[in-house]
Each structure stands twice: as C-alpha cells, then as structure tokens.
Amino acid sequence: MADDEIILEDLSDDELVQQMHDDLYDGLKEEIEDATNILLKRGWVPYDILTQALVEGMRIVGVDFRDGILFVPEVLLSANAMKAGMFILRPLLAATGAPKQGKMVIGTVKGDIHDIGKNLVGMMMEGAGFDVIDLGINNPVENYLEAIEREQPDILGMSALLTTTMPYMKVVIDTMKEKGMRDDYVVLVGGAPLNEEFGKAVGADAYCRDAAVAVETAKEFMKRKHNQMSGA
Ligand code: B1M
C-alpha cells in the first residue's frame, strides 16, 4: 500500500464527505460505493448522503464542466460513480413504509440523455409512497402518451437538462391538449435550466426546483385530488 493512500474508514464524517466530492470528480465508482456504505454504517440517513455527498459533488463537477475544465468522458465517469452511490441508496429511500400516494410516469424528453436528476426524483417519489414508472431518456411524445394511457398515472413528470430540449415539454403538453386528455393528469416539470415562468409558459401544473420539491408538490396535488373526489 502506498504511504499516501487514503483509508476512507479513518476519515472523519466531514473529511469523508469532502473525499466523496473529490472521488466523484475523479469518477471513482468503487470509492463512492465504499464511502456511501461507510456513511450508512455510521448512521447517516440516506437523504443526507444523497444531498450532501452525491448531489453536492455533482454540482462541483457541473461547474468545471461549464468552465471547460472537465469534458464529456470525465463527466460520464462522474455520472457513473454517482449512479453507483444512488443504486445503494435507492432501496433504503424506497423502504420508508410511507402510505401509498399515487402513481407517476416520468421520463427525460426527446434529444436529452441526462437522467441523474430524473432518477433522483423517481427515487424520492418512491420513498414518499408513489409508484413510479420510469420511461428513461430521450422520450418522444408518443412514449409519454402510450405510457399514460397504459398506466393511468395521477402525475406525468418530465425532465430536461438542456436549453435546446426543454421546449419539447410544450410539444408533449400541447399534444395532450389536442387529444383532450391534458386535464386528466397533473403535469410536473423539472431540470436545471427550467424555472417557474417556463413551467407556466409550457402549460405545466408546476415547476419543481428539486426532488424534494417534486415530492411535496406531488403530495399537494394528490391531496387536492382526494378533496375534490370527496367533495370537500
Ligand atoms: Co451535460 N450538460 N451535456 N452531461 N451535464 C449540462 C446540463 C450543462 C448545464 C453543463 C454545462 O455546460 N454547465 C450543459 C447544458 C447547457 C445548456 O443547455 N444551456 C450540458 C451539455 C452542454 C451537455 C452536452 C451537449 C455536452 C456535449 O456533448 N458537448 C451533452 C448533451 C447530451 C444530450 O443530452 N443530448 C451532455 C452530456 C452529458 C453527460 C452524458 C456527460 C452527463 C449525463 C450523464 C447522465 O445523466 N447519465 C452530463 C452531466 C452529468 C451534466 C451535468 C454536469 C450534471 C447534471 C446532473 O446530473 N446534475 C450538467 C451541469 C448542471 O446541471 N449544472 C450538465 C445532478 C442532478 C441531481 O441535478 O439533473 O439538475 P439535476 O436534477 C435536479 C433538478 O434539476 C430537479 O431535481 C433533480 C434533483 O434534485 N429535476 C426535476 C430534474 N429533473 C426533474 C424532473 C421533475 C422534477 C424535478 O419532474 C417532475
């Protein structure tokens, strides 16, 4: 073993989280898996590992990607490392025993292959008691329509990370309107380049800044739906 090799177990919590940011930056999948397991063993709740270690680490990657310091192949490694950490946390987030809330179909729009944020939203929704049907990435309008007709969800969620792909959300919502089915579903949209105004402009019910907001917003709409059904 080299003298300068870092023993993850020997690090304090703060040092370990810092190390995870570095390892995510360097795309070190196994180290991220090990560190995630160590934090779990130390009693960290999955949500804190997700937000403080993984999402924050990815934010740092995003800054250097934007500034031309990191490039696609490196960011892909970071994304894979992040997904490995998320894979460990997913069953733990889903196993909260939350009462059933409803069903959501979610997918990233056509032309867009970013899926980390969408996956995170899916995981958090499952943890909050929603059944989640994940359509994956690069979804044309037909995929959304087929899925909502087949699954009859309460909520349709769309994700976009590119300014060039986010207008496609309007194509999906407009097609739903043309088919007279728009008002049968709650449509929630999210992704880094979106904002509240954009959500309104494309005709979504709400824009969700992050996964936690998506869960709260979805629950709120389910509450309203139940109140309407019970005539309250
Ligand atoms: Co891309 N990429 N990327 N990328 N990438 C961005 C988005 C970019 C902002 C980077 C930058 O320049 N700063 C930039 C977009 C610029 C723009 O549009 N203005 C960009 C670019 C340009 C590109 C390419 C074009 C690069 C190229 O090829 N030259 C290319 C496009 C490919 C394509 O899609 N056609 C590309 C490719 C890639 C990788 C494949 C390398 C990889 C994706 C891997 C993967 O997802 N499997 C990648 C990554 C990782 C990023 C950054 C660095 C990180 C995205 C991420 O995972 N964030 C990103 C930089 C950034 O966003 N600042 C960037 C972590 C995640 C937890 O956050 O996805 O925002 P986020 O999700 C949040 C919220 O937004 C919200 O909740 C989530 C959790 O809190 N949310 C929702 C998201 N979806 C939601 C849906 C909902 C609700 C909430 O529904 C209800």
Side-chain angles (χ1 to χ4, degrees):
M1 188 194 304
D3 281 350
D4 58 352
E5 191 170 327
I6 294 163
I7 314 285
L8 295 177
E9 266 102 350
D10 292 349
L11 300 178
S12 69
D13 284 11
D14 283 352
E15 287 167 342
L16 187 55
V17 169
Q18 187 58 52
Q19 186 62 41
M20 286 177 81
H21 296 166
D22 292 349
D23 288 344
L24 205 65
Y25 193 93
D26 294 331
L28 301 177
K29 181 170 172 256
E30 274 175 33
E31 282 76 358
I32 289 295
E33 286 170 340
D34 290 348
T36 302
N37 284 322
I38 292 170
L39 286 179
L40 283 172
K41 259 191 255 149
R42 290 185 189 175
W44 276 54
V45 292
Y47 181 74
D48 288 347
I49 303 175
L50 198 61
T51 50
Q52 294 177 35
L54 299 179
V55 174
E56 174 57 15
M58 205 51 170
R59 188 192 65 75
I60 299 166
V61 169
V63 171
D64 278 6
F65 188 27
R66 179 196 64 205
D67 294 345
I69 297 166
L70 289 176
F71 296 94
V72 168
E74 291 144 332
V75 177
L76 259 179
L77 287 178
S78 300
N80 283 342
M82 168 126 188
K83 283 185 174 185
M86 285 166 68
F87 185 76
I88 295 171
L89 299 176
R90 182 180 178 164
L92 304 172
L93 282 165
T96 54
K100 279 284 159 233
Q101 292 274 351
K103 199 189 230 188
M104 176 190 226
V105 162
I106 188 165
T108 303
V109 297
K110 187 176 165 181
D112 202 320
I113 63 166
H114 294 86
D115 66 354
I116 294 175
K118 165 194 63 70
N119 295 349
L120 224 148
V121 172
M123 279 165 55
M124 298 273 297
M125 293 289 290
E126 280 179 352
F130 285 85
D131 288 328
V132 176
I133 317 298
D134 188 343
L135 305 181
I137 54 173
N138 193 20
N139 283 288
V141 60
E142 295 79 16
N143 288 10
Y144 289 108
L145 295 185
E146 271 167 31
I148 56 181
E149 278 169 19
R150 185 181 67 240
E151 302 288 345
Q152 293 298 312
D154 305 286
I155 298 168
L156 171 65
M158 287 189 276
S159 179
L161 264 289
L162 299 172
T163 45
T164 48
T165 57
M166 61 188 211
Y168 196 76
M169 292 175 169
K170 186 164 170 10
V171 174
V172 177
I173 295 173
D174 285 351
T175 311
M176 288 170 78
K177 282 184 189 159
E178 278 162 28
K179 293 189 175 288
M181 60 200 289
R182 166 65 187 91
D183 294 339
D184 298 341
Y185 307 95
V186 172
V187 180
L188 303 182
V189 294
L194 278 63
N195 56 32
E196 200 98 39
E197 209 182 359
F198 175 83
K200 283 201 186 99
V202 295
D205 290 294
Y207 153 72
C208 307
R209 189 182 64 242
D210 58 29
V213 170
V215 166
E216 285 320 307
T217 311
K219 280 191 190 165
E220 186 54 42
F221 275 103
M222 292 311 293
K223 217 187 289 168
R224 283 191 218 167
K225 188 171 174 175
H226 290 135
N227 286 346
Q228 272 169 9
M229 275 161 39
S230 64

